[in-house]
């Protein structure tokens, strides 16, 4: 069974940093495209970043370029999202997703507030 | 960016009656490989999204056959043949042919 477990969210002050993690199991992680999708409170869904299987190709939505870094550790079956220079508008539930969003984690809440 | 426009945004439905959601993209979603990369998702209250349909009309394993997808080019439709109580939630279309991948605004399905 495919399983994605998100973690690392929390309350952070504006300008702060967080590292989100996603532990994957039940599929061949190293060959799977992975990504992060966020959902602001009461709002819709937004893809923020994706990474190919070997980590050589990364893509970001314009609003997070230069502040977010997606990475993966295929030996640990883990996906990461380093979020720096956090802004209030980054407040959201962050979901890790496999491939074309065939599977989703349970989400981890990031709240940016002073 | 490709803009995905859903309608209606709110859809009150009587149990057992059909429901239909429209999704239009600002650019063609037809890939050079011949496939059209349009997915549909369901998000029940308090849950993570779940993919229902991929590539316009392919139902995911375990998705009831009352859900169907159709369309081509830039116009797509998700239909529920007979709405059940468990279908309450928000439905999103999403394109994965142009980066950034983008979602529609969501259509909230509720029971009258």
């Amino acid at each position: 069974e495919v399983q994605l477990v998100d973690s690392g969210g929390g309350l952070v002050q504006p300008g702060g940093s967080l590292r989100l993690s996603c532990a994957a199991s039940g599929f061949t992680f190293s060959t799977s495209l992975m990504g992060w999708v966020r959902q602001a409170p009461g709002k819709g869904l937004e893809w923020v970043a994706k990474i190919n299987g070997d980590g050589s190709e990364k893509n970001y939505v314009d609003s997070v370029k230069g502040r977010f870094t997606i990475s993966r550790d295929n030996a640990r079956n883990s996906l990461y999202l380093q979020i720096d220079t956090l802004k209030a508008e980054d407040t959201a539930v962050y979901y890790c997703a496999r491939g074309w969003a065939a599977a989703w984690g349970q989400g981890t809440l990031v709240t940016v507030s002073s | 960016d490709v803009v995905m426009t859903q309608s209606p945004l709110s859809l009150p439905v009587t149990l057992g009656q059909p429901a239909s959601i429209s999704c239009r993209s600002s650019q063609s979603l037809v890939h050079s490989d011949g496939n059209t990369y349009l997915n549909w998702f369901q998000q029940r209250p308090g849950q993570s999204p779940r993919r229902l349909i991929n590539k316009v009309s392919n139902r995911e394993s375990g998705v009831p056959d009352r859900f169907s997808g159709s369309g081509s080019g830039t116009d797509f439709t998700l239909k529920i043949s007979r709405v059940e109580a468990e279908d309450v939630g928000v439905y999103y279309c999403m394109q994965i042919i142009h980066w950034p991948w983008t979602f529609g605004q969501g259509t909230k399905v509720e029971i009258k």
Side-chain angles (χ1 to χ4, degrees):
Chain A
E1 177 194 2
V2 172
Q3 192 167 14
L4 300 171
V5 179
D6 302 320
S7 62
L11 174 62
V12 187
Q13 291 189 340
S17 298
L18 271 180
R19 188 195 197 203
L20 307 183
S21 299
C22 170
S25 59
F27 62 100
T28 306
F29 181 76
S30 61
T31 60
S32 294
L33 179 147
M34 299 293 296
W36 290 95
V37 181
R38 68 182 178 182
Q39 185 171 36
K43 302 296 184 182
L45 301 165
E46 179 185 36
W47 271 96
V48 297
K50 66 178 174 71
I51 185 170
N52 68 343
D54 64 9
S56 61
E57 295 181 20
K58 303 175 186 181
N59 297 96
Y60 302 92
V61 69
D62 283 350
S63 59
V64 309
K65 280 181 183 175
R67 300 189 301 118
F68 287 21
T69 304
I70 190 171
S71 63
R72 63 193 298 157
D73 184 340
N74 287 344
R76 296 178 182 271
N77 284 355
S78 293
L79 177 73
Y80 305 103
L81 186 68
Q82 177 69 37
I83 310 177
D84 298 320
T85 321
L86 276 158
K87 306 176 181 180
E89 54 263 39
D90 296 320
T91 294
V93 174
Y94 286 73
Y95 298 98
C96 99
R98 176 195 177 198
W100 304 334
W104 297 65
Q106 86 285 6
T108 186
L109 176 62
V110 173
T111 303
V112 184
S113 175
S114 54
Chain B
D1 297 359
V2 176
V3 177
M4 305 297 288
T5 303
Q6 290 183 226
S7 63
L9 299 184
S10 178
L11 184 56
V13 185
T14 301
L15 285 173
Q17 294 300 301
S20 180
I21 300 169
S22 170
C23 174
R24 290 186 174 176
S25 58
S26 61
Q27 298 179 37
S28 173
L29 302 186
V30 181
H31 193 272
S32 55
D33 65 8
N35 289 309
T36 301
Y37 290 93
L38 184 282
N39 294 342
W40 287 98
F41 296 84
Q42 174 195 61
Q43 187 174 30
R44 291 171 171 153
Q47 295 187 12
S48 301
R50 164 199 182 194
R51 194 169 75 180
L52 296 177
I53 287 173
N54 69 82
K55 287 187 282 185
V56 181
S57 59
N58 298 296
R59 252 190 327 272
E60 299 292 333
S61 174
V63 173
D65 61 7
R66 64 179 181 275
F67 289 93
S68 64
S70 63
S72 62
T74 60
D75 288 335
F76 306 94
T77 302
L78 175 69
K79 292 183 178 177
I80 311 173
S81 58
R82 294 172 305 278
V83 172
E84 298 189 5
E86 66 178 17
D87 300 335
V88 164
V90 181
Y91 292 78
Y92 298 91
C93 59
M94 184 190 84
Q95 64 84 19
I96 55 167
I97 192 169
H98 306 282
W99 181 258
W101 296 345
T102 46
F103 293 89
Q105 317 98 299
T107 294
K108 186 174 184 179
V109 172
E110 57 184 11
I111 305 301
K112 279 183 184 175

